[in-house]
């Protein structure tokens, strides 16, 4: 009787998790994934609230895809723990798969089938009867603006159309949590904007989205909160505004007339503010983080007194690129290492 009671209690916890856990779509603590001696993910914590877009920002090789793959049960977790809506990823992987939809970096559709045939196939694989799968396919094609291409083979689709169809396929089972792994990689700016609008519509309809990206503007546009990861570790987390504020309330962008004078200008700025600026040799200038925007005048006066001519100067709010540079010492596109996933 005790064993039966224990099993019933455990099942009740899965179907009706505690209130605190119900507030979190994803609760991951100390995630670790190793490939031999290399730790692709090294102790990452993630807490994603229901109804938000949570961005995981980092360069290629940072561990983004590996982290997502563990949460989606596509890779075993080597260390730490994770739950999806209170359901343990390791203990109940089949239950977790019913709660998530996954759109990977590369489209999973069959190029030799039409858009309708692809969605019907996915629907049948997910247990839908053929009539229901046809209705679901038609609804999703209309929703994603692909109805006119319903009977066209995927090999004739543009990259943006394929990505939208791939996202549509991940929604067949109407999962409450959607994993998007770099959904706009390789898309032109117009198509990226269309994908962004689609993602916003999904959130407005009640979905929770965990988004990985290496595009700073994408994280800034879409994410309610962002975790910055680098070399398998989380180095910061917060809203876009909080992350920007962490490197100063504003940034003074200076371009010198003499590009060779960058080091000398940097030394003067450090003397005035007590902190070194970030040099941008390719642009012949430097970016100066300011805790008080009024200090910009002090910097410009000091440079003028040193006979350093300035071609342009502007005070702006910090960008996420500057945040990432301040946190890691490099830009998001400085790594060429490819993430290892099995």
């Amino acid at each position: 009787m005790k064993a039966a009671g224990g099993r019933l209690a455990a099942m009740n916890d899965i179907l009706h998790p505690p209130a605190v856990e119900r507030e979190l779509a994803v609760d991951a603590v100390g995630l670790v994934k190793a490939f031999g001696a290399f730790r692709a993910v090294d102790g990452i914590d993630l807490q994603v609230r229901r109804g938000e877009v949570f961005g995981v920002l980092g360069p290629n090789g940072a561990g983004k895809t590996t982290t997502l793959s563990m949460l989606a049960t596509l890779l075993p977790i080597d260390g730490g723990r994770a739950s999806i809506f209170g359901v343990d990823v390791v203990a109940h992987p089949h239950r977790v798969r019913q709660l998530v939809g996954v759109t990977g970096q590369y489209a999973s559709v069959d190029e030799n089938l039409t858009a309708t045939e692809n969605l019907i196939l996915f629907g049948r694989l997910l247990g839908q009867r053929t009539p229901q799968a046809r209705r679901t396919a038609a609804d999703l094609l209309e929703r994603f603006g692909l109805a006119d291409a319903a009977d066209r083979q995927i090999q004739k689709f543009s990259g943006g159309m394929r990505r939208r169809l791939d996202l549509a396929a991940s929604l067949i089972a109407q999962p409450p949590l959607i994993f998007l792994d770099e959904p706009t990689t390789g898309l032109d700016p117009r198509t990226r904007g269309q994908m962004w609008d689609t993602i916003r519509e999904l959130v407005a309809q009640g979905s929770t989205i965990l988004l990985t990206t290496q595009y700073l503007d994408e994280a800034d546009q879409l994410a309610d909160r962002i975790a910055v990861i680098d070399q398998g570790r989380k180095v910061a987390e917060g809203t876009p505004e909080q992350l920007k504020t962490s490197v100063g309330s504003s940034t003074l962008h200076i371009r010198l007339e003499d590009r060779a004078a960058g080091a000398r200008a940097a030394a003067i700025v450090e003397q005035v503010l007590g902190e070194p600026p970030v040099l941008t040799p390719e642009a012949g200038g430097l970016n100066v983080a300011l805790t008080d925007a009024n200090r910009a005048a002090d910097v410009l006066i000091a440079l003028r007194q040193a006979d350093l001519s300035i071609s342009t100067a502007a005070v702006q709010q910090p960008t996420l690129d500057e945040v990432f540079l301040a946190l890691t010492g490099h830009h998001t596109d400085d790594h060429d290492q490819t993430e290892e996933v099995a």
Side-chain angles (χ1 to χ4, degrees):
M1 292 294 292
K2 285 185 177 181
R7 285 195 297 270
L8 287 173
M11 182 59 68
N12 185 65
D13 286 343
I14 294 172
L15 297 176
H16 306 287
V20 173
E21 290 183 330
R22 286 201 300 267
E23 293 302 315
L24 293 176
V26 177
D27 184 16
V29 178
L31 285 184
V32 173
K33 184 62 189 177
F35 298 95
F38 172 66
R39 280 200 169 197
V41 176
D42 192 8
I44 286 180
D45 298 343
L46 290 178
Q47 281 75 42
V48 181
R49 304 184 189 113
R50 285 175 178 260
E52 74 173 344
V53 179
F54 189 94
V56 179
L57 174 65
N60 286 334
K64 304 186 301 297
T65 296
T66 305
T67 299
L68 187 148
S69 296
M70 286 191 288
L71 294 174
T73 75
L74 300 175
L75 281 177
I77 296 174
D78 292 343
R81 61 175 178 83
S83 61
I84 304 296
F85 296 108
V87 180
D88 188 272
V89 172
V90 174
H92 306 286
H94 295 294
R95 173 68 175 149
V96 167
R97 289 169 196 149
Q98 297 173 2
L99 297 171
V100 302
V102 181
T103 297
Q105 292 184 30
Y106 306 101
S108 58
V109 292
D110 189 325
E111 292 193 349
N112 296 316
L113 299 179
T114 67
T116 297
E117 289 168 342
N118 266 285
L119 294 184
I120 290 175
L121 174 61
F122 282 116
R124 296 288 288 129
L125 290 172
L126 289 169
Q128 294 184 354
R129 295 182 180 276
T130 300
Q132 181 187 2
R134 289 187 181 278
R135 289 194 298 270
T136 300
D139 289 343
L140 287 170
L141 290 171
E142 183 68 35
R143 180 176 173 184
F144 283 84
L146 295 170
D148 291 342
D151 298 323
R152 193 186 308 171
Q153 284 185 314
I154 304 306
Q155 58 187 305
K156 299 177 182 177
F157 273 29
S158 67
M161 293 171 70
R162 293 186 189 207
R163 296 301 286 159
R164 278 185 284 160
L165 183 65
D166 205 38
L167 180 53
S170 71
L171 299 180
I172 288 174
Q174 299 181 326
L177 174 62
I178 303 169
F179 291 149
L180 301 180
D181 191 15
E182 303 198 19
T184 64
T185 297
L187 300 185
D188 61 80
R190 178 175 174 273
T191 307
R192 287 180 68 202
Q194 291 174 340
M195 282 293 293
W196 291 355
D197 289 341
T198 300
I199 292 168
R200 293 187 183 104
E201 289 173 9
L202 292 173
V203 175
Q205 293 165 5
S207 296
T208 301
I209 292 179
L210 176 57
L211 168 80
T212 71
T213 183
Q214 58 181 311
Y215 296 133
L216 297 145
D217 58 336
E218 185 160 88
D220 206 357
Q221 284 279 340
L222 296 176
D224 299 299
R225 291 187 300 131
I226 298 169
V228 180
I229 67 173
D230 188 43
Q231 299 181 25
R233 298 183 178 182
K234 186 173 73 174
V235 296
E237 182 181 319
T239 67
E241 297 306 314
Q242 287 171 337
L243 292 175
K244 292 173 185 177
T245 302
S246 70
V247 298
S249 61
S250 55
T251 300
L252 172 61
H253 300 272
I254 298 173
R255 180 170 294 182
L256 302 169
E257 289 188 356
D258 181 7
R259 294 192 175 194
R264 182 180 167 212
I268 293 171
V269 171
E270 184 172 4
Q271 187 175 15
V272 172
L273 299 179
E275 296 288 340
V278 175
L279 288 170
T280 56
E282 66 280 358
L286 53 160
N287 298 328
V288 184
L290 302 170
T291 55
D292 180 359
N294 292 317
R295 297 301 306 276
D298 298 335
V299 172
L300 296 176
I301 291 171
L303 293 176
R304 183 171 183 176
Q305 290 175 341
D307 293 326
L308 289 174
S309 297
I310 298 170
S311 58
T312 62
V315 177
Q316 299 175 349
Q317 186 183 39
T319 65
L320 282 179
D321 195 18
E322 290 161 351
V323 172
F324 199 90
L325 180 61
L327 291 170
T328 67
H330 59 81
H331 296 276
T332 54
D333 57 358
D334 284 353
H335 284 324
D336 58 7
Q337 177 184 2
T338 302
E339 289 190 27
E340 289 189 57
V341 290

